[in-house]
Amino acid sequence: SLRASRSKSYRPLDGTFSGMFSFSARASCQQAGTSTGVFMLTQVLPAQFTQWLASHAANGITPVVLDVREPWEIAQASIKPGEGYELRCIPMHEIPGRLQELDPDHPIACLCHHGARSMSVAAFLVNHSFEDVSNITGGIDAWSLSADPSVPRY
């Protein structure tokens, strides 16, 4: 399940973490439509987000920033919807029931407060045949420190 425990510790959902900055998952090759069946989950530092966007601009598909925080957190601090990406806000615990709202063919960068919940959601998406998934390392807190100081910290 994607639901966080009461102690605010978050568990990886599906798959196994192979290191702090990389993750791979195996899926059915037929289901995933790839020859290898291995998808990579990448880490994107907030300061490198513009580069990440640029790397996806050539294919003509608008990337999605998926903010998986709770509505009260988004009210405290949020990135501004920007040129070149769509901002979607779906709380972590709602992802399984709203998975159909996300297009597996669009690149997705997951965002939360510090990066733990977004990493779990990113792993969940990879294990559900989303091929181009990234985690914004350090979450909105790192975003505020290194990409946009106008975003409040909480």
Side-chain angles (χ1 to χ4, degrees):
S1 141
L2 276 172
R3 196 172 299 272
S5 69
R6 288 179 185 242
S7 68
K8 297 274 187 189
S9 63
Y10 303 100
R11 300 179 303 268
L13 303 169
D14 299 321
T16 303
F17 288 97
S18 61
M20 185 172 171
F21 295 104
S22 66
F23 173 84
S24 63
R26 293 211 175 268
S28 163
C29 295
Q30 291 177 342
Q31 178 187 16
T34 66
S35 59
T36 64
V38 176
F39 305 131
M40 291 304 296
L41 191 161
T42 58
Q43 298 290 326
V44 178
L45 293 169
Q48 298 170 330
F49 181 72
T50 304
Q51 290 174 286
W52 181 83
L53 280 178
S55 72
H56 292 88
N59 65 14
I61 297 174
T62 304
V64 172
V65 174
L66 178 60
D67 193 329
V68 301
R69 296 175 299 143
E70 296 296 319
W72 71 266
E73 293 178 282
I74 293 167
Q76 294 285 320
S78 184
I79 65 172
K80 297 173 183 84
E83 190 172 317
Y85 67 93
E86 175 188 352
L87 178 62
R88 302 286 310 272
C89 300
I90 304 175
M92 177 179 171
H93 68 277
E94 294 181 15
I95 295 291
R98 296 176 63 184
L99 196 60
Q100 74 284 355
E101 295 177 31
L102 301 170
D103 187 340
D105 295 328
H106 283 241
I108 297 176
C110 299
L111 175 73
C112 69
H113 189 192
H114 288 111
R117 285 176 285 175
S118 56
M119 184 66 186
S120 291
V121 170
F124 180 82
L125 294 176
V126 166
N127 282 309
H128 283 83
S129 300
F130 286 72
E131 293 184 34
D132 191 351
V133 181
S134 298
N135 182 52
I136 299 178
T137 308
I140 194 80
D141 192 61
W143 188 282
S144 177
L145 292 171
S146 62
D148 184 357
S150 71
V151 174
R153 294 182 70 204
Y154 67 99

